[in-house]
Amino acid sequence: MSVAFAGNSTTGPSREAGPLRVMIVDDSVVIRGLISRWVGAEHDMEVAASLRTGLEAVNQLERINPDVAVLDIEMPELDGISALPQLLAKKRDLVIIMASTLTRRNAEISFKALSLGAADYIPKPESTREASAADIFHHDLIQKIRHLGARLRRKSTVASPPLAPASPAPASRGPVPVARPAAPVVQAPSPGSLATRPFSNQAPKVLLIGSSTGGPQALMALVTELGPVIDRFPVLITQHMPPTFTTILAEHLARSSRRPAAEAVDGEPVKPGRIYLAPGGKHMRVARSGADTVIALDDGPAVNFCKPAVDPLFTSAIDIWHGGILSVILTGMGSDGMRGGKDIVAAGGSVIAQDEASSVVWGMPGAAANAGICAAILPLNQIGAKVNRLFSGDRS
């Protein structure tokens, strides 16, 4: 996901030791008040401004100099999708989280915002009077602000003037590097220092993929390379995402892969030739039905604060494919997929994790990598080729 825009690059002074400055932009006084209270209650963040329109945000950006902006989509004068590129043109390392209600139109706009450089999106509850919806919104928003805000801290450190002349580094064309989602930020180990294990000697019979923050872009890039695998083997994906958004994601995956892709339906057979995506708000597992393998959806409690979650898919697949599982853990906050990945490895399967440099947030893949369960830790642009080789008989 690139946020490189022509124009000024106002970054402001480094504030490594200070709280994250959050700019809240929403035409609802209720939402602005809620988010302001939540942000103000956190020790590592502060409200830099609370604004009603995108136009105010654009006009006041240099004065406010926020680290993170929570940007509503529907606003008077200048809506969020129109304000987004203008904000990034003024401050290209600004972390922007789009906020929208769960409509198909807003889901489409959120996907467009990601392609324009937004760091992430968050669904707003239809009514903040529903306690459970408000609690989920509160938890998810604070986590996104904290973990994605680490991006600016990491970049500020990297961009600090060197003490001695250094050779210029080659320009990167990959996704913007972001810090691991921990607070305080801890120096990450180099990829070479992380232990890996051999790939399974068993031929993979299914591809399982788990992802979260940054996942939609990563998935769309990955599936463009997986045509030969999709044609011959089932591909099942769990992306942390709410209802409606998963409907849109499935459509994007179908276009990117040029293969059938859809939200999974309870009881449908699992067959090669298509991509099965866990629907928002449901855990996706697999189960036996006679001689067939079928999708099993359930409305149980959140796992790892997520629904759908990756671990239920990973662990359920072991009863079906045993050691013939190749699982891929892509960018995302938290550690979902790590426990299921451990079970897959114990059953004889293999795990690949996306590396830190190409991840938007190195939480989920980092947890797997640091647990020592991965056979490979790869940049996103190398994962597709590796998966194809493994399904073609390569075991190295």
Side-chain angles (χ1 to χ4, degrees):
M1 166 175 48
S2 172
V3 292
F5 284 80
N8 297 330
S9 179
T10 303
T11 57
S14 174
R15 285 186 292 270
E16 269 189 272
L20 289 166
R21 292 172 54 79
V22 182
M23 179 173 71
I24 302 155
V25 190
D26 198 299
D27 64 335
S28 166
V29 65
V30 174
I31 293 294
R32 291 200 308 274
L34 273 179
I35 298 176
S36 294
R37 288 196 296 275
W38 295 339
V39 168
E42 300 297 322
H43 73 280
D44 56 346
M45 56 187 74
E46 66 184 12
V47 177
S50 177
L51 307 174
R52 178 175 172 269
T53 73
L55 186 61
E56 292 177 1
V58 171
N59 290 341
Q60 299 184 46
L61 184 68
E62 291 93 344
R63 178 184 64 80
I64 297 166
N65 193 24
D67 299 316
V68 179
V70 181
L71 186 62
D72 187 23
I73 285 180
E74 297 178 324
M75 293 179 290
E77 294 183 350
L78 189 68
D79 61 24
I81 197 67
S82 302
L84 170 66
Q86 296 185 45
L87 291 170
L88 290 174
K90 289 189 171 188
K91 183 172 182 176
R92 65 180 182 181
D93 57 1
L94 177 65
V95 174
I96 298 180
I97 301 170
M98 305 300 295
S100 70
T101 51
L102 287 174
T103 65
R104 182 181 175 91
R105 175 179 176 274
N106 284 346
E108 286 279 18
I109 292 173
S110 295
F111 274 93
K112 181 179 179 182
L114 293 176
S115 71
L116 293 175
D120 204 0
Y121 61 89
I122 186 165
K124 295 194 295 187
E126 294 289 345
S127 171
T128 56
R129 287 173 290 189
E130 184 183 341
S132 61
D135 286 346
I136 293 170
F137 181 44
H138 179 185
H139 173 271
D140 290 352
L141 179 62
I142 292 300
Q143 292 301 309
K144 288 175 187 289
I145 291 171
R146 176 172 292 124
H147 296 162
L148 291 166
R151 164 188 296 184
L152 188 60
R153 300 297 160 85
R154 178 71 174 279
K155 289 179 70 179
S156 295
T157 301
V158 172
S160 297
L163 297 177
S167 301
S172 170
R173 294 175 182 265
V176 179
V178 220
R180 292 162 66 184
V185 175
V186 178
Q187 182 65 38
S190 63
S193 68
L194 293 169
T196 56
R197 56 195 305 121
F199 279 99
S200 172
N201 288 324
Q202 299 188 48
K205 302 172 184 175
V206 65
L207 176 62
L208 310 180
I209 305 174
S211 53
S212 183
T213 307
Q217 306 97 303
L219 287 167
M220 284 185 276
L222 179 58
V223 299
T224 62
E225 304 179 41
L226 296 181
V229 173
I230 300 168
D231 290 341
R232 297 168 52 216
F233 302 92
V235 176
L236 296 94
I237 300 173
T238 293
Q239 159 73 37
H240 297 165
M241 190 171 265
T244 305
F245 281 68
T246 47
T247 305
I248 305 299
L249 176 59
E251 294 171 3
H252 282 267
L253 292 175
R255 287 196 292 269
S256 295
S257 66
R258 298 183 181 181
R259 304 294 190 280
E263 291 176 300
V265 176
D266 190 53
E268 73 172 312
V270 176
K271 297 182 180 296
R274 64 184 298 110
I275 297 171
Y276 301 84
L277 179 67
K282 302 279 187 181
H283 294 306
M284 178 173 72
R285 294 179 169 86
V286 288
R288 285 286 186 200
S289 178
D292 294 329
T293 299
V294 299
I295 296 292
L297 302 181
D298 76 70
D299 197 20
V303 176
N304 301 318
F305 300 101
C306 303
K307 189 177 173 183
V310 178
D311 279 340
L313 171 62
F314 280 13
T315 55
S316 69
I318 296 168
D319 289 337
I320 306 297
W321 292 287
H322 310 290
I325 299 171
L326 178 61
S327 57
V328 175
I329 302 177
L330 299 176
T331 173
M333 291 189 294
S335 61
D336 191 24
M338 184 268 288
R339 291 180 182 84
K342 279 185 176 180
D343 293 340
I344 286 172
V345 169
S350 299
V351 176
I352 294 175
Q354 185 176 350
D355 75 353
E356 182 177 15
S358 67
S359 295
V360 173
V361 175
W362 207 56
M364 288 167 50
N370 283 297
I373 63 173
C374 298
I377 304 163
L378 299 173
L380 177 64
N381 62 9
Q382 294 180 22
I383 293 176
K386 185 64 175 178
V387 168
N388 282 317
R389 290 197 299 272
L390 290 166
F391 276 94
S392 297
D394 184 357
R395 299 288 176 266
S396 60

